[in-house]
Amino acid sequence: MAAPVYPAWVGRWISGQWRQRKRPPAVRPTRPLVLANKVANRRELAGEATCLTEMSVMMACWKQNDFNDKSCAEEIRVFYDCVAKAEKERKEKKDEYALSLKGNIPSSKVNRLLRRFPNITRYV
């Protein structure tokens, strides 16, 4: 298979011969172009609040019954069931996230990986 043949002006354009003045000097970085061994700590986004309606119903019941737990046993049970269910879903989601590693990695995990695999600063 033969290589494609381009017009002569394409070669001059790519090589920079079409410019009248010389190329600007190469940019020299002030620091070495390597990754740092840590990243800035960023707060992870807070999850959405769960069981708010159950909690508000429970607190309204307490207020009506002068904070008597016996009168509000059903509302308290519903609230604790909701909290347990939300905690179980959160743990499953966390395990699923750990296995899939899609999306952004938290800064704490990035720092842990960078401590484990630091940059090579000298050659052997």
Side-chain angles (χ1 to χ4, degrees):
M1 183 170 188
V5 177
Y6 297 107
W9 67 269
V10 172
R12 287 192 307 271
W13 183 66
I14 291 174
S15 68
Q17 292 176 1
W18 60 277
R19 294 189 187 115
Q20 295 297 326
R21 58 187 183 276
K22 292 183 178 180
R23 288 186 174 198
V27 177
R28 294 196 177 115
T30 56
R31 296 185 209 154
L33 297 175
V34 294
L35 290 176
N37 286 327
K38 66 179 183 175
V39 296
N41 287 327
R42 303 279 183 200
R43 278 195 343 192
E44 297 167 16
L45 296 175
E48 60 187 47
T50 56
C51 306
L52 284 179
T53 55
E54 289 83 357
M55 183 170 45
S56 61
V57 167
M58 179 183 70
M59 289 184 174
C61 179
W62 273 344
K63 188 174 182 179
Q64 287 174 353
N65 296 310
D66 295 326
F67 299 96
N68 187 359
D69 284 345
K70 292 181 182 178
S71 310
C72 302
E74 180 64 24
E75 287 81 2
I76 293 171
R77 186 190 60 76
V78 169
F79 174 68
Y80 280 130
D81 289 345
C82 179
V83 168
K85 181 177 148 190
E87 188 69 22
K88 182 180 176 187
E89 288 176 1
R90 187 186 65 79
K91 283 185 180 179
E92 287 175 359
K93 188 176 179 182
K94 182 180 176 184
D95 293 341
E96 179 183 313
Y97 177 76
L99 292 176
S100 66
L101 281 179
K102 58 185 171 185
N104 292 335
I105 301 173
S107 60
S108 58
K109 191 173 276 192
V110 171
N111 282 332
R112 199 174 316 130
L113 287 170
L114 287 172
R115 272 196 311 270
R116 194 168 164 199
F117 305 105
N119 283 320
I120 299 172
T121 56
R122 56 185 162 68
Y123 295 101
V124 178

